[in-house]
Amino acid sequence: MADNRFPNAAQSRAQGGVREGLSTEVTTVLRNTYMLLGLTLAFSAVTAGTSMALNLPHPGLILTLVGFYGLLFATHKLQNSVWGLVTTFALTGFMGMTLGPILNTFVANGAGHLVTTALGLTATIFLALSAYTLITRKDFSFLGGFIFAGALVLMGGMLIAFLFNLPNLHLAISAGFTLFASACILYQTSAIINGGERNYIMAAIGLYVSLYNLFISLLHLLMAFAGEN
């Protein structure tokens, strides 16, 4: 009787083929995700620069939320077609446009150095968290509950901050978004590596939104610590 505790050569090759196939799939998703993320960040920078050059006004919180969630919903529905790429660039371009007036405010008040610092910190945090997840391949799926609860708390805080002018609350929301965005980067990168995310369009959008939130939150925190109005 054959001893089934030890796989034969054919079984080993088959198992190795499965592992190699999964590894290739993960590599492909990662490569496409980071390529699309880089392109959307560049496009977002162009629309932000155009918005700054034209001195466009900020569309306001309501229009920003409607535009963001509307385009996000469209991207989710079209994620498996080429039109998903179109809505992806529409979404990131729109978010870049809303960023332009914010950056103009900083530059006009002589706080352009805070923009550069926030951008550097955002890149450093993203690279560090991504590298840690990619190297350790740790499963951060347990952060799902924290992210869901955090999103509800932050949305409630934003609503209160929109209705009442509470400086300390604004600062707390910015700090909360910094932690929230960092957790999302760990969660999303882990999902790609461990098989939870196989659509590079949605993976890129998730990372883009996390980077956007992280940058804006760090910008507000730096402004507060620098004593800027």
Side-chain angles (χ1 to χ4, degrees), residues 17-40:
V18 172
R19 287 194 294 269
E20 182 180 354
L22 291 175
S23 178
T24 301
E25 184 181 12
V26 168
T27 301
T28 300
V29 175
L30 280 172
R31 182 179 63 250
N32 291 340
T33 296
Y34 287 128
M35 183 181 299
L36 181 59
L37 178 62
L39 291 173
T40 54

Side-chain angles (χ1 to χ4, degrees), residues 159-216:
L159 179 61
I160 296 175
F162 179 72
L163 297 175
F164 306 97
N165 186 20
L166 302 174
N168 291 335
L169 180 58
H170 284 284
L171 187 61
I173 290 174
S174 295
F177 261 112
T178 301
L179 295 175
F180 177 78
S182 298
C184 286
I185 292 172
L186 291 172
Y187 179 84
Q188 290 155 351
T189 306
S190 172
I192 299 173
I193 296 173
N194 295 293
E197 180 61 79
R198 285 293 172 263
N199 187 285
Y200 71 93
I201 290 179
M202 297 310 299
I205 283 293
L207 290 174
Y208 174 89
V209 173
S210 296
L211 284 169
Y212 183 94
N213 287 331
L214 183 59
F215 174 69
I216 291 295

Side-chain angles (χ1 to χ4, degrees), residues 16-196:
V18 172
R19 287 194 294 269
E20 182 180 354
L22 291 175
S23 178
T24 301
E25 184 181 12
V26 168
T27 301
T28 300
V29 175
L30 280 172
R31 182 179 63 250
N32 291 340
T33 296
Y34 287 128
M35 183 181 299
L36 181 59
L37 178 62
L39 291 173
T40 54
L41 287 173
F43 183 64
S44 188
V46 170
T47 57
T50 302
S51 179
M52 294 177 68
L54 297 177
N55 199 26
L56 297 178
H58 194 276
L61 179 61
I62 301 299
L63 184 58
T64 298
L65 291 176
V66 171
F68 170 73
Y69 284 108
L71 289 170
L72 183 63
F73 177 79
T75 303
H76 178 74
K77 287 295 184 182
L78 300 171
Q79 60 180 289
N80 294 315
S81 71
V82 68
W83 290 106
L85 292 173
V86 175
T87 55
T88 294
F89 280 97
L91 171 59
T92 55
F94 173 75
M95 296 309 293
M97 186 187 69
T98 64
L99 188 60
I102 299 175
L103 300 182
N104 261 345
T105 302
F106 279 82
V107 173
N109 287 279
H113 62 286
L114 296 182
V115 175
T116 304
T117 302
L119 187 61
L121 287 173
T122 300
T124 301
I125 293 173
F126 174 73
L127 291 175
L129 294 176
S130 299
Y132 176 77
T133 309
L134 290 169
I135 293 172
T136 64
R137 298 190 179 184
K138 186 174 181 180
D139 186 1
F140 286 100
S141 59
F142 64 88
L143 290 175
F146 168 79
I147 291 174
F148 177 75
L152 294 179
V153 172
L154 290 172
M155 288 178 64
M158 288 177 60
L159 179 61
I160 296 175
F162 179 72
L163 297 175
F164 306 97
N165 186 20
L166 302 174
N168 291 335
L169 180 58
H170 284 284
L171 187 61
I173 290 174
S174 295
F177 261 112
T178 301
L179 295 175
F180 177 78
S182 298
C184 286
I185 292 172
L186 291 172
Y187 179 84
Q188 290 155 351
T189 306
S190 172
I192 299 173
I193 296 173
N194 295 293

